[in-house]
Amino acid sequence: KKSQQLIAMISRIQPARLSSMRSIRRCVATGTTIKAPSSQTAKVTTTPFYGAPRPASTGPSFLQRLALATHSATTAFADPTRADAVAALGEVTGHVSLTQMYDRMMSDPTGQRILRDQPLVNNSTIDMDDLFQQLKRARESKKGKELTFGQAYAAFMEEHGYDPDERSKVKYITDPELAYIMLRYRQCHDYWHALTGLPPTVLGELGLKWLELLQTGLPVAALSATVGSLRLNAQERDILNNQYLPWAVRMSKQSDFLLNVYYEEEFDTPLSELRERIGIEAAPAVDNEIETANKDTA
């Protein structure tokens, strides 16, 4: 009799249709409830109460991933400016780190909202014209107010001629949640330039890559940080080791997890206020002649 009652109770539960155990954790963390249908519409089903299993992955096999990782690493080592090779390498080697990044985002209320909303950084979602106009008015103002985060981001994009649509799409990660985290990581890169004040030079990119590595643990950040340093001269290497690297270590210890910041909601926040709130200091200023010696578009 008890078995029959248990079967009847299970049959009244609406399948959650969650794609993975991470999705179940999201429901628990965000307080999402799973509603049962009325007794008039309840039907016996063989689908488990936790949802149907995800279809088999159509992504690359292990051997294909190994071959892709080897080819991408070789290509990126020979030419660190090959964004396609660096992107592919990041995707096929980043599963463990991406899972840990997911856990850190799920442990934070803002991180949970970002995973739920999945904001994108492109010209369709961000009104760059408005940000440029705000920046122009701020520069023309005689009050001398500091820039907001949005204005600082617009200044960075304008000065270097960058476009929000330039970041590569994710190709080799089949898990939709981890794929989004990788995309978010890429699309936040220019946000982090504005936040830290680091320029898009070889030296500036290396300083930011060290911060990204210490924050995320992504193998591709380690590759960029180590291989990229081979392109520096002795003076630049001294700046990296004695200024940027100590700064990155200190910021990784004292700052919030940078993917847990909803940057799109902070465009009107004064830059200094945002930095103080999340525990980020502007990167050390270095000699302009050294910084402009090796321009890069990472």
Side-chain angles (χ1 to χ4, degrees), residues 172-212:
Y172 303 109
I173 301 176
T174 56
D175 185 297
E177 291 162 327
L178 299 188
Y180 173 73
I181 292 175
M182 175 58 81
L183 180 63
R184 182 66 174 173
Y185 162 75
R186 290 176 183 168
Q187 293 186 340
C188 283
H189 184 79
D190 292 329
Y191 285 158
W192 295 338
H193 272 292
L195 185 65
T196 62
L198 285 166
T201 60
V202 172
L203 191 54
E205 290 290 351
L206 287 172
L208 186 53
K209 284 301 177 184
W210 272 109
L211 178 60
E212 292 178 5

Side-chain angles (χ1 to χ4, degrees), residues 121-125 157 162-169 187:
V121 183
N122 55 49
N123 286 310
S124 299
T125 60
M157 300 296 280
Y162 292 160
D163 190 309
D165 291 335
E166 291 176 343
R167 293 297 165 185
S168 302
K169 296 180 179 180
Q187 293 186 340

Side-chain angles (χ1 to χ4, degrees), residues 41-73:
T41 60
K43 296 181 180 179
V44 177
T45 177
T46 57
T47 304
F49 75 91
Y50 51 80
R54 179 179 299 163
S57 170
T58 57
S61 67
F62 172 76
L63 291 179
Q64 289 173 326
R65 287 179 177 274
L66 181 61
L68 181 60
T70 302
H71 174 73
S72 299

Side-chain angles (χ1 to χ4, degrees), residues 35-288:
K35 297 181 179 180
S38 65
S39 59
Q40 295 179 348
T41 60
K43 296 181 180 179
V44 177
T45 177
T46 57
T47 304
F49 75 91
Y50 51 80
R54 179 179 299 163
S57 170
T58 57
S61 67
F62 172 76
L63 291 179
Q64 289 173 326
R65 287 179 177 274
L66 181 61
L68 181 60
T70 302
H71 174 73
S72 299
T74 303
T75 304
F77 186 86
D79 183 4
T81 64
R82 280 286 301 275
D84 57 335
V86 174
L89 181 64
E91 293 178 29
V92 298
T93 63
H95 181 82
V96 173
S97 296
L98 288 170
T99 301
Q100 294 171 345
M101 292 161 68
Y102 174 89
D103 290 338
R104 294 188 69 176
M105 294 181 76
M106 282 301 297
S107 67
D108 181 85
T110 303
Q112 291 175 18
R113 285 201 301 117
I114 292 172
L115 288 175
R116 181 193 65 207
D117 300 346
Q118 296 196 358
L120 299 176
V121 183
N122 55 49
N123 286 310
S124 299
T125 60
I126 297 178
D127 191 344
M128 292 301 301
D129 289 337
D130 181 63
L131 289 178
F132 289 143
Q133 287 299 319
Q134 291 184 36
L135 175 63
K136 181 180 179 181
R137 290 194 295 269
R139 287 171 171 170
E140 294 173 348
S141 175
K142 298 181 180 180
K143 297 180 180 179
K145 291 184 178 180
E146 68 166 309
L147 297 181
T148 64
F149 171 69
Q151 292 164 355
Y153 170 64
F156 174 82
M157 300 296 280
E158 180 184 59
E159 179 180 354
H160 302 288
Y162 292 160
D163 190 309
D165 291 335
E166 291 176 343
R167 293 297 165 185
S168 302
K169 296 180 179 180
V170 176
K171 298 180 180 179
Y172 303 109
I173 301 176
T174 56
D175 185 297
E177 291 162 327
L178 299 188
Y180 173 73
I181 292 175
M182 175 58 81
L183 180 63
R184 182 66 174 173
Y185 162 75
R186 290 176 183 168
Q187 293 186 340
C188 283
H189 184 79
D190 292 329
Y191 285 158
W192 295 338
H193 272 292
L195 185 65
T196 62
L198 285 166
T201 60
V202 172
L203 191 54
E205 290 290 351
L206 287 172
L208 186 53
K209 284 301 177 184
W210 272 109
L211 178 60
E212 292 178 5
L213 171 60
L214 295 169
Q215 278 249 331
T216 68
L218 284 168
V220 69
L223 176 71
S224 299
T226 53
V227 174
S229 63
L230 300 177
R231 304 172 63 190
L232 302 179
N233 60 39
Q235 188 176 14
E236 293 168 332
R237 195 172 296 111
D238 180 72
I239 293 174
L240 176 64
N241 293 334
N242 295 312
Q243 295 191 52
Y244 280 165
L245 184 53
W247 167 83
V249 172
R250 190 171 68 255
M251 292 305 98
S252 69
K253 293 179 179 179
Q254 76 178 38
S255 68
D256 295 345
F257 187 48
L258 293 181
L259 284 175
N260 284 340
V261 181
Y262 213 135
Y263 296 99
E264 292 80 0
E265 296 179 350
E266 304 289 353
F267 282 160
D268 294 330
T269 304
L271 180 59
S272 62
E273 179 182 321
L274 179 59
R275 284 173 172 169
E276 182 177 2
R277 188 185 341 131
I278 65 178
I280 281 286
E281 301 170 10
V286 300
D287 188 88
N288 289 334

